[in-house]
Every structure is written in structure tokens, then in C-alpha cells.
Amino acid sequence: MQTADSGLALRQAAQQRTLSIAWASLLFFFALFVGLLTWAGLTIRNVYQEATLTGEATLIVRGPAESLSWRPAQRTIYQGAPDGLMLAEGDSVRTTATAGYGQVATIKLFDASQFDLWTGTELTLETMEFSRWSQDHFRVVMRQNSGYIRYDLAEAQPYDHVQFQVHVGDAVIELTPGGSYSVELRPPARSVLRVDPGLAQEVDVAVRSGSAMVIGVDGEAVSLGTRERVTIDAAGYPGLVVPARWDLVRDGGFSQFTEVEYNNTTVTDPTRPRSEYWHVYSGPDLPRENQGFFRLAQTCRPPIVNNFCAPNERRVAAWFYRAGGQTSSFTTGIKQELGTQGLGVDISEFPSLRLSLWVRVLYQSLPDTGDRGVECPVMVRLIAKRTTPADPEEQRDYCVFVDEDAVAPMVREPGVTYYPVPLAEWALISFDLREQDKLPDFRYLRSIQIFAQGHDYDSRVTEVSLVGEQ
């Protein structure tokens, strides 16, 4: 009886094992089927979302045809670029450094975004892609190797994920759609020699409108908002965020060099230390006792006229001086060639360009502006060109003088703007060069001169600035 019961139990156990194996196999293959079905669905979904098409861009030539060249993708030689050329992914565009002022070329993307290229610029369109069957993503990546470019990005983007990137040396700039941005590569103030093939230039990034993210070589990110800018050094590290303003005059406080170093700019001996920015000049050639002199004067921050102030309120002024009861005219002045390496500066991007300086006239021997209308104890002269390098240079003069009789000068020289000031008081001279009677539509500014002209004079100038805003 026990044998029969034992055999039955064994058979039941075997049946249970077979049933368990069958269920396990059924569940395994069902799970495998579901997994394969899910994988296939996700694969199809990813292909649907990630499949991309390559976009194109149109090149618009604005400057001379010979100032522009184009390099197709996978090529090494640049060639002529006709107006209306269709640019593809990987193509590069380059403009010559002597192409003129303002925009030389424009690249218009298929989404209506626009990139304006100035002289001496090289740009590569590395990536221009968008989703093929969906509205998932849109991506544009550029590499800017030189020059100044303004990026105006279209706002109405139908894509869920939009990315605009500009690679500059070791840094990356991410731009938000709908904004306007400027990126300029230029030689650093101090020359840099890199052992790697990296870009030995500093980068000036500014946000006209919108927002941007600057990612340095170490991965540190700096955020920029509207009307803010940052400089990336030659090693790829971004600096501090500052307002989007550019002072085109260097050493406007006359504090970076000594009096001797400023005056050494009048001699040709290259071994003498000298000012890098302001250069002293004078004329005509007269005996020393009849000449005027350039010196530096310690003063208090304008408009304080006495010489008693805290150390943090001390300033340095350029001092133009001539005495001795002179009876002939003599000019004593300083001048500065603007821009990188003194080659001038393109001002076409500045709708606002404000010139400011504090002026103090302690003595002038001639009444008003003399019998020629230009004998001014302080004269500011700007040298500019209107549109192209072929245009003649034009000058604008701004005469500051003491008006003791409250009567306008009898002689007024054409092209000179007159500013009467009280004797021995500090006066702020400030105006926007974009005003209609000054330089409203000029694109290029070469130099600024500040000088005293007349018989005897004693005048001071400090805190000179020429601030451009986009």
C-alpha cells in the first residue's frame, strides 16, 4: 500500500514540475516578445525623432566681390564667392581685412536667422540640421576663427529643442533664439604664444538683446543678459560680466604713463620708454622760449576746483601751457590713433557714440577764439571717414574757450563747433557723435586729437572717453 502511494506522489511531483517548466517557458517567451516589441517601438520612435535633414544658407555679398571668398566642405582652397551662393554644412566664408567698413557679407539661414560678417572674418558652418519627421530639434553649430560677426537669430522656432552654438578657440557660446549678439576675435592687449595650435586671440561677446551662455575651457559657464558683455582671454577663460559699452579711447585719465614717457613720444630714440597711446606733438618750429609745453597736473576729481581732496578723489589731467606774452600762434597737443594697433575703428555698429571730457581753462591771452576763430585753449579734433576706405578723411573740430563778455565769437570757422566755458572752472563737455550735426552716418573713426592753440594759454583736460553702445 505504501508503494502505491509513493508512486502516485512521484507522478504528481513530476507533473507539477512539467507544468511549472511550461509556465516558466511561456512567461519567458511572452516577456521576450513584449521586450522585442517595446525595443522595436522605441527604435522606430528614436529613428522618427532623431532622423535629421541638413539645411542650407544663402550668402549675400554686400562689399566688393574680391573681398569675399568661400571654401566648400572637405576642401582646403578658398575660391570666389558669388552673390546668392548656397552654402552647405561644412562650408567656410572669409572676408579680407581691407574690405571696408560695415557689413561685407551676410549669411541667411533657412530659418531666417542672419549672420553679418565684417572685415577680416572667417566663419565655418559646421552643423545645420533639423528633425526630418518631427518638430523635435533644430541645431546650428558654427566656428568663428577671426573678425567681428553679428548674429541675429529668428525668434519663431517651431522646434522643441533649438540650439545655436558658436565655437571660438577653446570656448563655446550658446545663443538663445530671438536675440541679437556680437562676437569679435582680436589680438590680446599682451601678445600670447601658445605651444598648442589653439587660437591666441581674445574674444569679446556682447548681447544686444536676448541671453547667452559662455562656456570656458574649464567648463565654467557665464550667463549674459541683454546689454551685457564678457571677454574670453586667449587661454579660453571668460572674465567678469560688464555692461555692453566700449570706450574707444585708451588711457583717458592720463594715469598709465609718466610725464616723461608722454613727452618721449616726440623723439625717435626707440630705447626711451614712452606712452603707448597718447602721442605729444607741437608746432610750428619756434625757439624753445616761444614754445608751449605738455605736462601732467595733479588735481581733484572734477568739478572740485581746489586741490584739497581725499586720495581716492585724486585725478591726473593733461596740461597745455604757454606763457611769456607770446604774439604768434603755437599748438601744443596730444593725439591717439584708435583701434587695435592704431589702425582705426569701425563705428558702424554704434548707434550711440558719446564723447565726454572735463575741461578747465585757467588762462587764455586772446579774447574768445582770436581773429581766426580757431585760437582755442582746448580743441578736440576727430578724423573720420564716411562710408568706404576710398572716401576722403574728414575732420570735426570742437573748440572750448572762455567767453568773458557773453558775446558769441565774431569769427566762426566752418566745421567748428564752439563751447564757451567759465574761467578757471571745470566744465563737462559731452555730446553724442550720432547727432545730426556731428557724425550721424560715419562708419570709420581713425584718431582723436586734443590740443591748445593760440598765444598764451593754461588749460587742463581729464577723464576723456568715447563710449560706443550697441
Side-chain angles (χ1 to χ4, degrees):
M1 192 69 176
Q2 286 182 341
T3 302
D5 292 341
S6 177
L8 179 62
L10 290 174
R11 285 195 302 273
Q12 289 176 345
Q15 291 174 353
Q16 187 64 38
R17 284 196 301 273
T18 302
L19 185 61
S20 297
I21 292 172
W23 275 108
S25 300
L26 181 63
L27 290 174
F28 170 77
F29 284 107
F30 178 75
L32 180 62
F33 170 76
V34 171
L36 290 174
L37 192 63
T38 302
W39 174 82
L42 290 175
T43 300
I44 294 173
R45 177 178 178 273
N46 289 338
V47 169
Y48 177 80
Q49 288 185 336
E50 297 178 7
T52 60
L53 291 175
T54 299
E56 289 184 327
T58 304
L59 180 65
I60 302 172
V61 179
R62 299 186 181 276
E66 63 274 10
S67 65
L68 198 64
S69 56
W70 157 65
R71 187 187 68 192
Q74 310 302 324
R75 302 285 183 87
T76 58
I77 299 176
Y78 279 86
Q79 59 193 53
D83 186 34
L85 175 69
M86 299 304 296
L87 300 173
E89 192 173 82
D91 287 4
S92 298
V93 176
R94 184 167 65 186
T95 64
T96 63
T98 58
Y101 318 127
Q103 299 99 318
V104 179
T106 295
I107 297 175
K108 189 174 287 291
L109 260 62
F110 53 94
D111 73 324
S113 294
Q114 179 171 308
F115 311 148
D116 291 316
L117 283 64
W118 266 246
T119 61
T121 298
E122 183 177 345
L123 180 69
T124 300
L125 302 172
E126 293 190 342
T127 303
M128 295 186 295
E129 64 180 25
F130 57 93
S131 297
R132 181 167 189 167
W133 293 305
S134 71
Q135 303 295 314
D136 184 67
H137 77 274
F138 170 67
R139 184 167 182 259
V140 177
V141 178
M142 298 149 287
R143 178 165 293 278
Q144 184 175 336
N145 294 316
S146 61
Y148 175 92
I149 300 179
R150 188 177 73 211
Y151 299 92
D152 294 311
L153 306 187
E155 182 174 11
Q157 297 286 357
Y159 300 91
D160 297 330
H161 304 95
V162 179
Q163 184 180 52
F164 282 91
Q165 281 189 346
V166 182
H167 291 248
V168 282
D170 300 315
V172 177
I173 308 166
E174 295 188 350
L175 309 177
T176 303
S180 179
Y181 313 89
S182 65
V183 179
E184 180 180 18
L185 276 70
R186 62 194 179 210
R190 296 176 181 267
S191 60
V192 176
L193 180 62
R194 296 183 55 150
V195 295
D196 59 12
L199 213 60
Q201 298 190 69
E202 67 179 19
V203 185
D204 191 345
V205 183
V207 177
R208 302 155 64 92
S209 63
S211 62
M213 183 78 70
V214 177
I215 304 171
V217 64
D218 59 351
E220 180 181 356
V222 175
S223 297
L224 295 176
T226 298
R227 304 189 68 77
E228 291 184 335
R229 59 185 282 246
V230 71
T231 300
I232 307 170
D233 65 22
Y237 296 92
L240 298 176
V241 177
V242 297
R245 304 166 71 245
W246 291 261
D247 194 344
L248 307 184
V249 170
R250 295 160 292 183
D251 189 24
F254 307 101
S255 60
Q256 298 187 25
F257 302 92
T258 67
E259 183 178 300
V260 171
E261 289 171 332
Y262 286 111
N263 282 297
N264 278 347
T265 59
T266 63
V267 298
T268 57
D269 185 354
T271 63
R272 295 190 184 184
R274 63 186 62 213
S275 164
E276 297 179 15
Y277 308 124
W278 293 108
H279 289 213
V280 177
Y281 69 97
S282 61
D285 188 12
L286 297 176
R288 185 172 178 81
E289 61 270 17
N290 300 122
Q291 295 180 9
F293 300 94
F294 172 82
R295 301 190 63 185
L296 294 181
Q298 299 294 325
T299 184
C300 290
R301 173 184 55 81
I304 302 172
V305 295
N306 61 47
N307 209 27
F308 303 101
C309 54
N312 64 341
E313 291 191 321
R314 303 295 296 176
R315 299 291 187 271
V316 179
W319 181 8
F320 308 101
Y321 180 75
R322 191 186 190 210
Q326 304 297 329
T327 58
S328 63
S329 185
F330 188 84
T331 299
T332 305
I334 53 176
K335 60 183 176 181
Q336 182 175 139
E337 306 296 327
L338 301 176
T340 304
Q341 300 177 343
L343 300 176
V345 60
D346 188 329
I347 58 174
S348 58
E349 277 285 88
F350 298 127
S352 173
L353 190 58
R354 178 162 292 276
L355 175 66
S356 299
L357 64 158
W358 282 94
V359 176
R360 187 183 185 192
V361 180
L362 282 81
Y363 179 72
Q364 64 178 60
S365 60
L366 293 174
D368 290 343
T369 59
D371 58 5
R372 295 186 297 166
V374 291
E375 305 281 6
C376 308
V378 174
M379 178 84 87
V380 180
R381 174 170 293 165
L382 299 174
I383 307 297
K385 290 188 178 183
R386 188 177 298 272
T387 305
T388 71
D391 291 343
E393 288 186 344
E394 300 183 40
Q395 70 182 43
R396 294 291 186 272
D397 292 335
Y398 308 96
C399 172
V400 180
F401 67 100
V402 174
D403 185 11
E404 294 185 331
D405 57 8
V407 178
M410 296 295 294
V411 179
R412 301 176 72 89
E413 182 73 12
V416 178
T417 304
Y418 295 90
Y419 293 91
V421 297
L423 180 67
E425 298 288 334
W426 282 110
L428 177 62
I429 307 299
S430 181
F431 51 84
D432 195 333
L433 291 177
R434 292 314 193 185
E435 294 174 4
Q436 192 59 40
D437 59 339
K438 295 181 173 63
L439 301 174
D441 55 356
F442 279 65
R443 290 188 168 191
Y444 173 81
L445 195 59
R446 185 173 68 82
S447 67
I448 179 173
Q449 302 173 29
I450 305 174
F451 56 93
Q453 186 169 264
H455 293 180
D456 289 355
Y457 43 75
D458 184 351
S459 54
R460 321 284 171 89
V461 173
T462 191
E463 296 187 3
V464 182
S465 65
L466 181 59
V467 177
E469 296 190 44
Q470 295 183 351

